[in-house]
Amino acid sequence: MGVKGLLLRLSSIDADAAAAVRVIAHFQALLDCRVTPAALVRSTAGLAECPAGLELADGRTFRCGPDGVALTGPPEHVSGRVALRPAGRVWLERPGAERPLDELVLEWLAIAARTMEQPSMVADPALVELVLSRREAIADRARALRLLGLAPELPLRVVVVTDEAREPDVAALALLGRSAVPGTVRVARVGTLGAVLVQHGTTAASPLAELRAVARESVRVGIGAAAGGLRAHESWEQARVALRFTTAGPPDDAVAGHDELGAVTLLAEIPPDRLRRLPDTEALEALAAAEGGRMQLAALAAFCRTGSLRLAAAELHLHHSSVAARLAHVEGALGWRLRDPGDRFRAQLALYARRLAAAGEGGEGGGHSGAAGERGDSWDLRGSGSIPGPRTAEAPTDPGRDGDRDPDGDRDRDSDRDRDRNRDRETAAGPAAAPEAAGDNSGGRLDSRPGTGAASAARTDAGAGGAAPGRAPDAAGERRPGARGGGAARDALGRGRTGLTSPARGAEQ
């Protein structure tokens, strides 16, 4: 559900909640517009109906009143403030008592200010798609990495973000704006997910702790393992697998890393329908459907994760006796003894299986794992075009063989060259040659070699702009962004050859 739909529902239920969502939507729109510091402060002052201020790390200060007039001098009465890292601050100057939403306004003002100071974080989606594709030529992937300001020879990690309440790329920017993830960060929307590329020296340490420290609301995050820049597709696939193990709620459940999950990720290889039919999964579903069942499942998940009643109670903000009562109900309903390590392990596996089965039904942030033998794009990236599914029929490129050539990329370029030759010949032959080109194979062929001619060129065009296995075909005359054979990714590389600068250089210019 989008922000507008959520506003309509909340306005009829809770006016305060609807006002909070309006605040978030206001700052999301500012993030999309990439406003200047002065415009950000002016807009915030109008929203809060009181003077607002911003001090950047370089010492520049901006103050504005609710009427849009810039203010000079030091702040008169600071009613609330939030510090920025590594330096700077934002504040409100409300003369009377604080209002209920002042804290939320300050938090999002700080997020917008941090994001504004990192102009290179937002990346060209076509370049990011090209980096994450296993089908593109190695040379094209390396060039895309350099255009993004990343080093092809250094390792990186891919982080995927989804949020039911907002756009995935905006959710990723807000999450990273609150966090202190080190290194070079690039964010773009890929399909239904926010894709984040993180590169930090030669270590590529996992940002798991930093992201869990700031995860909240309905955001869910999956983190892939470190991989070489030219093998970013491996980390991308692992991040999407990790995302399937997450659920909105406590940070430990909402953020998952492929490294941390370890051998548990093998559960993702099991088809969702089979996981859904497991007796333990069915028992958890029946418990969740009962009155108070979701609270009991939350207590079960917290206890399995922490192994302690008191730690689970602290995580859920409950008294430990309340958690014990809920766990006793779970034990009575399922016949488990949660103090027994074997039964607790069984309960944790059942919780994982239930999450994977649910992720298999919805395409948002994980999608279908697919039955054994299926090889389509199972993560619903219909908007991205060039990125294959996690298990494609083609073998991955081996950079150490055949002179660093990508066979799929070579075939695409060959098809493009054949199509260009055929088009040139049709143009030279003039309109009179069109009926012959459209005829059968017995005469009038533009080229007698197999795989050429008008009919073959049409097939090549269809293959270049058509759907990959497992995807719905494109509408007539429509190409998806990033599709091979003239898509947005190759256009982005073409712009790079004619002077496209990296996002960081573009921001400086």
Side-chain angles (χ1 to χ4, degrees):
M1 177 188 300
V3 173
K4 292 183 179 178
L6 188 60
L7 273 172
L8 291 174
R9 292 189 59 183
L10 287 175
S11 60
S12 61
I13 300 173
D14 189 335
D16 291 337
V21 175
R22 286 191 181 94
V23 170
I24 297 173
H26 178 87
F27 283 100
Q28 285 181 356
L30 293 177
L31 286 172
D32 288 340
C33 295
R34 308 292 298 172
V35 296
T36 63
L40 174 63
V41 174
R42 183 169 57 250
S43 178
T44 303
L47 175 69
E49 298 180 344
C50 72
L54 164 63
E55 181 182 344
L56 298 176
D58 57 10
R60 289 180 296 160
T61 301
F62 304 87
R63 292 179 62 224
C64 191
D67 55 359
V69 178
L71 303 177
T72 59
E76 297 176 356
H77 175 71
V78 177
S79 57
R81 73 183 71 196
V82 173
L84 303 178
R85 291 186 298 268
R89 58 176 180 153
V90 297
W91 66 88
L92 294 179
E93 303 176 32
R94 191 175 298 284
E98 292 188 19
R99 294 187 181 179
L101 295 178
D102 280 1
E103 185 177 351
L104 182 63
V105 170
L106 277 172
E107 178 188 355
W108 275 90
L109 174 57
I111 290 172
R114 295 189 194 106
T115 304
M116 183 180 58
E117 287 193 286
Q118 300 172 338
S120 62
M121 187 182 293
V122 180
D124 184 345
L127 290 176
V128 173
E129 288 183 10
L130 201 153
V131 168
L132 298 179
S133 174
R134 66 165 69 237
R135 294 182 177 181
E136 300 296 339
I138 291 178
D140 289 343
R141 279 179 267 161
R143 184 170 181 80
L145 283 166
R146 294 189 185 97
L147 288 172
L148 290 170
L150 302 171
E153 67 275 8
L154 295 180
L156 58 76
R157 285 180 186 264
V158 179
V159 179
V160 294
V161 180
T162 186
D163 193 331
E164 296 178 358
R166 68 190 83 165
E167 296 299 321
D169 49 344
V170 174
L173 286 170
L175 182 71
L176 292 164
R178 292 193 297 263
S179 70
V181 175
T184 304
V185 180
R186 299 289 181 265
V187 181
R189 177 169 182 165
V190 178
T192 59
L193 301 175
V196 183
L197 306 179
V198 181
Q199 191 171 70
H200 182 53
T202 59
T203 57
S206 175
L208 182 69
E210 291 87 348
L211 296 180
R212 277 183 174 169
V214 296
R216 61 190 66 176
E217 300 165 352
S218 55
V219 69
R220 295 191 295 120
V221 183
I223 305 172
L230 297 176
R231 294 185 292 110
H233 56 272
E234 297 176 6
S235 185
W236 162 252
E237 294 165 5
Q238 293 166 350
R240 289 180 295 178
V241 170
L243 188 66
R244 295 182 60 207
F245 285 86
T246 64
T247 183
D252 286 344
D253 285 339
V255 183
H258 195 273
D259 292 342
E260 180 192 40
L261 290 169
V264 176
T265 58
L266 293 175
L267 287 174
E269 303 291 336
I270 303 175
D273 288 340
R274 185 174 178 184
L275 291 172
R276 201 172 295 115
R277 292 194 300 268
L278 290 175
D280 287 350
T281 307
E282 293 177 342
L284 289 181
E285 286 294 341
L287 180 62
E291 183 178 359
R294 294 198 176 276
M295 293 186 292
Q296 293 161 9
L297 285 186
L300 175 62
F303 180 72
C304 288
R305 185 170 51 254
T306 62
S308 164
L309 273 178
R310 294 189 180 274
L311 291 177
E315 182 179 290
L316 298 173
H317 306 289
L318 296 171
H319 193 271
H320 62 86
S321 60
S322 299
V323 176
R326 295 180 183 182
L327 293 179
H329 190 279
V330 172
E331 289 180 329
L334 303 181
W336 296 340
R337 295 181 57 197
L338 296 175
R339 288 291 183 184
D340 180 82
D343 280 0
R344 192 161 65 248
F345 177 71
R346 177 181 176 184
Q348 182 65 77
L349 284 182
L351 288 169
Y352 280 145
R354 181 172 179 265
R355 293 179 190 176
L356 291 170
E361 290 179 346
E364 184 76 18
H368 302 272
S369 171
E374 292 181 359
R375 292 295 181 265
D377 184 349
S378 58
W379 274 278
D380 191 21
L381 296 177
R382 290 184 292 271
S384 60
S386 67
I387 300 180
R391 298 180 188 2
T392 75
E394 292 91 0
T397 302
D398 185 351
R401 295 182 182 175
D402 196 21
D404 287 351
R405 295 178 62 189
D406 188 330
D408 293 320
D410 291 343
R411 282 195 294 270
D412 291 336
R413 285 189 292 271
D414 291 342
S415 297
D416 291 342
R417 283 194 295 268
D418 288 341
R419 188 168 62 253
D420 291 340
R421 280 198 300 268
N422 293 333
R423 189 180 297 114
D424 292 341
R425 289 169 181 164
E426 290 173 1
T427 302
E436 295 180 3
D440 58 23
N441 295 334
S442 60
R445 294 206 45 149
L446 297 177
D447 195 321
S448 60
R449 291 174 299 168
T452 60
S456 179
R459 288 193 297 270
T460 304
D461 282 334
R471 293 198 185 102
D474 293 325
E478 183 179 52
R479 285 189 188 272
R480 290 190 298 263
R484 297 202 308 269
R490 294 192 181 278
D491 291 343
L493 285 182
R495 292 195 301 272
R497 295 187 183 98
T498 59
L500 176 67
T501 60
S502 69
R505 296 195 196 100
E508 292 172 0
Q509 293 174 358

